[in-house]
Amino acid sequence: MTILAKFTQLRESYQKMAAIGRDPFSVRFEGILSPTEGVLNGRRTILLGTNNYLGLTFDQSCIDKGVEALVEQGTGTTGSRIANGSYAGHGDLETALADFYGRQHCMVFTTGYQANLGIISTLVGKDDILVIDGDSHASIYDAAKMTTGQVVRFRHNDPDDLYKRLRRLSDHPGNKLVVVEGIYSMLGDTAPLKEFAQVKREAGAFLMVDEAHSMGVLGATGRGLAEEVGVEADVDFIVGTFSKSLGAVGGFCVADLPDFDILRVACRPYMFTASLPPSVIATSLQALKRMQEEPGLRLRLNANSRRLYDGLRNLGFQVGPVANPIVAVALPTKELAIAFWNGLLEAGLYLNLALPPATPNSLALLRSSVSAAHTPQQIDTAIELFAQVGRRLGVLPGMVQAAE
Ligand SMILES: Cc1ncc(COP(=O)(O)O)c(C=O)c1O
């Protein structure tokens, strides 16, 4: 038996899925033309599954800053900040993020995944309790595996369940850290953060919000869901990523706790990995500025989200509960979702296929993420392609499954 034998079942189901058409997990673009268009299989393809919410990946000022840093400071830092030292840009970006969120402290990580992994697993010590939403992102679940403390899950977006679980733990002397997300990455639903904040206050717990998908999207200045619903004062830690609205790669955590910086020499996913290259720091810093200077990006994004959400819902598709930039269409079976995804791709539309076990309630999802850079015509084309493929596959109400 080989060491890979345990993956036999996974390999079989993967092969079955790939046999229906293209392999959805190894799509390779021949070219990227803009934030919203790529070349796939020799044809121009609309990109509707990239999390590029503000469309800043081709922003000229971000590119210029990145090139300048690349030329002046080289391609990489070749080590971690505690071993090789920080570059000026790392500190500048941390200061800019702390200022943006009105907090004292910020730590930048090499990815958003590592920010969650590091902050959560380091904060929750062996005598503490980590309390997470059942639909948490993999990075939060992996942090839960890494922590030495007790882990408690509550029902997704259910403040009553959170309250009950915290009440049961009220005699426990350790600190409790509740972790929720601003916008959930699969269905695009938002957390009932006001209610969670109230529960947190009553229980004397700490609250962390992962604003990965809500930074640059929600709130009067783009700070996310906590800003949108007016509970920033109740949020002790905000985690975010540069890989979505800021169009780069990297992650961060901001906080006001006076001793927060001690984590720099305690948090292993910060300490034992190479820091972000200067070019990535420079583009992220510039993207943060662009996001603040141009609130119109957020308005366009939200208008595009509404257009896609309403368009798909009016066709009769089952979409998520809120018109956020993540618009997920649920299909009755995995096989149908795979066939639908292939049909859209053949027609020139790329989005994400999301299948169980990575999805809430084992849903089979076609997951779109809208950008401020999409034109209304691109959104309308996407809706029309959904309609065509939906009719052909008999998914839309009243339609008959076509013989293939
Ligand atoms: C909710 C959430 N948190 C964290 C991450 C990790 O971010 P990154 O891609 O920067 O590692 C993601 C990525 O998709 C996410 O959806």
Side-chain angles (χ1 to χ4, degrees):
M1 192 157 86
T2 84
I3 198 161
L4 296 177
K6 54 183 152 307
F7 300 112
T8 303
Q9 214 185 339
L10 177 64
R11 190 182 308 109
E12 281 168 9
S13 61
Y14 191 98
Q15 282 167 345
K16 235 199 264 167
M17 176 187 60
I20 297 180
R22 273 182 164 262
D23 176 353
F25 302 128
S26 49
V27 169
R28 199 159 147 185
F29 296 101
E30 291 113 63
I32 299 294
L33 305 173
S34 74
T36 60
E37 270 196 310
V39 180
L40 193 62
N41 242 2
R43 77 173 289 169
R44 283 178 94 98
T45 300
I46 297 175
L47 303 177
L48 193 67
T50 61
N51 304 317
N52 195 352
Y53 298 125
L54 301 181
L56 289 175
T57 49
F58 280 76
D59 179 271
Q60 195 55 52
S61 69
C62 293
I63 292 174
D64 291 344
K65 289 287 182 190
V67 169
E68 196 181 296
L70 187 64
V71 171
E72 286 176 4
Q73 299 172 57
T75 53
T77 64
T78 61
S80 86
R81 290 171 68 181
I82 59 159
N84 290 21
S86 296
Y87 289 20
H90 293 113
D92 293 344
L93 182 54
E94 286 176 341
T95 303
L97 283 161
D99 288 350
F100 176 58
Y101 283 97
R103 306 272 168 156
Q104 295 292 313
H105 304 284
C106 174
M107 270 170 80
V108 160
F109 290 76
T110 306
T111 64
Y113 174 88
Q114 282 160 302
N116 270 336
L117 198 65
I119 293 290
I120 297 170
S121 68
T122 313
L123 283 176
V124 180
K126 70 176 173 36
D127 299 324
D128 301 322
I129 305 180
L130 172 62
V131 187
I132 62 172
D133 185 288
D135 280 1
S136 289
H137 185 259
S139 54
I140 297 170
Y141 270 107
D142 290 356
K145 279 189 200 160
M146 208 166 135
T147 174
T148 47
Q150 187 184 332
V151 180
V152 172
R153 262 190 327 177
F154 62 93
R155 260 201 308 274
H156 175 56
N157 273 355
D158 187 337
D160 292 337
D161 195 40
L162 174 64
Y163 176 77
K164 268 189 234 150
R165 283 169 200 272
L166 284 172
R167 206 180 44 192
R168 263 183 240 151
L169 296 167
S170 58
D171 291 336
H172 192 291
N175 286 300
K176 287 119 201 161
L177 176 69
V178 176
V179 181
V180 300
E181 297 171 32
I183 294 180
Y184 279 83
S185 61
M186 284 294 141
L187 292 177
D189 49 335
T190 44
L193 202 54
K194 255 192 176 158
E195 291 79 356
F196 282 151
Q198 193 186 335
V199 173
K200 165 254 160 151
R201 270 196 309 272
E202 283 173 25
F206 289 89
L207 177 61
M208 172 183 289
V209 182
D210 176 348
E211 301 268 20
H213 292 273
S214 32
M215 178 195 197
V217 175
L218 298 179
T221 67
R223 289 203 294 263
L225 181 64
E227 182 184 27
E228 173 104 356
V229 301
V231 296
E232 285 175 289
D234 289 306
V235 179
D236 302 284
F237 306 96
I238 291 180
V239 167
T241 172
F242 310 148
S243 72
K244 305 186 194 307
S245 283
L246 300 187
V249 67
F252 68 90
C253 177
V254 294
D256 266 336
L257 263 65
D259 296 333
F260 186 70
D261 268 343
I262 192 65
L263 296 183
R264 292 188 196 271
V265 287
C267 176
R268 296 168 70 86
Y270 175 86
M271 295 161 68
F272 297 108
T273 194
S275 62
L276 284 170
S279 54
V280 172
I281 291 284
T283 66
S284 302
L285 185 55
Q286 181 60 18
L288 183 64
K289 279 199 187 123
R290 295 282 294 119
M291 189 179 100
Q292 290 168 265
E293 282 164 8
E294 223 180 305
L297 290 174
R298 202 162 49 256
L299 299 180
R300 267 212 306 279
L301 169 66
N302 290 329
N304 282 343
S305 307
R306 167 61 63 190
R307 194 177 187 98
L308 181 68
Y309 182 87
D310 286 349
L312 293 177
R313 196 178 53 170
N314 291 341
L315 281 172
F317 286 106
Q318 185 192 330
V319 289
V322 196
N324 276 327
I326 296 168
V327 183
V329 165
L331 290 169
T333 65
K334 208 161 98 172
E335 290 69 26
L336 206 47
I338 298 169
F340 208 121
W341 180 84
N342 274 285
L344 290 174
L345 201 62
E346 277 158 30
L349 180 64
Y350 171 78
L351 44 72
N352 312 124
L353 176 66
L355 299 175
T359 51
N361 303 322
S362 296
L363 287 167
L365 299 173
L366 296 172
R367 176 190 178 276
S368 302
S369 48
V370 173
S371 172
H374 283 120
T375 62
Q377 292 73 25
Q378 283 177 317
I379 302 283
D380 291 347
T381 302
I383 296 166
E384 177 52 29
L385 294 177
F386 259 94
Q388 285 173 18
V389 176
R391 279 185 207 112
R392 182 163 60 78
L393 294 178
V395 173
L396 288 175
M399 306 293 170
V400 182
Q401 175 120 24
E404 290 280 294

